[in-house]
Amino acid sequence: MTSDLLALLPPQALRCGILYCENQPVFDWSGLTHALALLAAVVCHALVQQVCERHSRMTEVRVQTALTGALYKQALSRCSIPGCLPSPAPSLTPLRADVGRLAELPVSLSALWSSSVQGTVCVCLLWRELGPSSLAGLAVLLLLVPLTSAVQRRARLLQVTERVLRGERQQLVQEMLNGIKTVKLLVLEAWFQCRVGIAREKELETLRILGFLTAFSLLDRVCVPFLVRL
């Protein structure tokens, strides 16, 4: 929240500097003050943004560590064989992605309401400067929201599909390794190789589409502020 509010200081300092240059052609100590104020605003915003980013990442890592530890502890406590140390990694592989998304939830919720506040303040400032013309940028932003939501939903579905395909491929490889003697005896190497190759091709195709959607999301994040300003 503090970082988002400080992000509004450099434009305001720049506005004051531009107004000063328009009204005062001869530079004196006031112009130097405006320049130093702009520099201080940019530096403060950069420092606070880095600190907030660090705290967000630390919070995400701590939540993920706590959830992963609790998950493995629960899995190990279900071992019914005395003296046996099971390997819960294969059975917990599908849950790791869910743990990662759950760990990102606090950061996402914080960014959600802080972005709303920042957007409201920006619209108010633009309304003060441009009047009703500022609503054009707001309209562009509202039009891009459904597109971004659709891309994110598609990306989540592809992530689920990729995990399913990866699990099927790993299960197929595990079956082949468990019955390697039978595979060698019946000369089924080519058949298993073909099946594993087909499964891997499907997985790579899903990852390729997911990469395109991720790139579009990153491009959308970069371009939306410029589109709103235009």
Side-chain angles (χ1 to χ4, degrees):
M1 180 63 183
T2 306
S3 176
D4 294 334
L5 293 179
L6 286 177
L8 303 175
L9 289 181
Q12 295 301 312
L14 182 60
R15 173 179 176 273
C16 294
I18 293 175
L19 292 177
Y20 169 78
C21 293
E22 291 178 351
N23 300 326
Q24 184 73 21
V26 180
F27 291 95
D28 54 6
W29 64 270
S30 299
L32 181 61
T33 303
H34 285 92
L36 292 177
L38 177 59
L39 178 61
V42 173
V43 172
C44 290
H45 172 247
L47 292 177
V48 173
Q49 185 178 13
Q50 292 299 321
V51 172
C52 293
E53 184 71 18
R54 179 179 179 274
H55 282 290
S56 299
R57 296 302 178 187
M58 289 295 295
T59 302
E60 181 180 345
V61 170
R62 288 172 181 172
V63 172
Q64 186 173 4
T65 302
L67 292 176
T68 305
L71 191 63
Y72 273 88
K73 183 178 180 180
Q74 183 68 21
L76 291 174
S77 64
R78 293 183 178 180
C79 180
S80 58
I81 303 177
C84 176
L85 185 60
S87 178
S91 60
L92 296 181
T93 300
L95 298 177
R96 291 177 181 174
D98 297 332
V99 169
R101 287 198 299 269
L102 191 59
E104 295 175 358
L105 184 60
V107 180
S108 301
L109 292 178
S110 176
L112 180 63
W113 71 271
S114 63
S115 299
S116 302
V117 173
Q118 185 182 14
T120 304
V121 175
C122 289
V123 170
C124 294
L125 293 176
L126 288 175
W127 181 273
R128 187 186 66 178
E129 297 294 332
L130 302 177
S133 301
S134 61
L135 296 179
L138 182 61
V140 172
L141 184 62
L142 294 178
L143 289 176
L144 290 176
V145 168
L147 178 61
T148 305
S149 301
V151 171
Q152 291 179 354
R153 286 196 300 268
R154 180 61 177 169
R156 285 195 294 267
L157 291 177
L158 287 176
Q159 288 176 353
V160 174
T161 304
E162 189 271 333
R163 288 199 300 270
V164 172
L165 293 175
R166 182 175 56 189
E168 293 177 354
R169 177 178 57 83
Q170 291 176 350
Q171 183 179 2
L172 182 61
V173 173
Q174 188 66 31
E175 291 177 358
M176 181 181 64
L177 293 177
N178 291 336
I180 189 64
K181 293 183 179 180
T182 306
V183 172
K184 290 290 186 180
L185 180 62
L186 299 178
V187 195
L188 296 176
E189 295 92 340
W191 184 76
F192 272 101
Q193 182 181 1
C194 181
R195 289 190 59 187
V196 173
I198 293 174
R200 183 58 179 168
E201 287 294 332
K202 293 180 180 179
E203 184 180 355
L204 290 177
E205 181 67 19
T206 304
L207 289 174
R208 185 178 66 86
I209 300 175
L210 184 60
F212 286 147
L213 293 179
T214 304
F216 177 80
S217 299
L218 295 176
L219 183 64
D220 179 68
R221 291 180 183 178
V222 174
C223 294
V224 162
F226 296 98
L227 292 176
V228 172
R229 292 170 188 173
L230 291 176

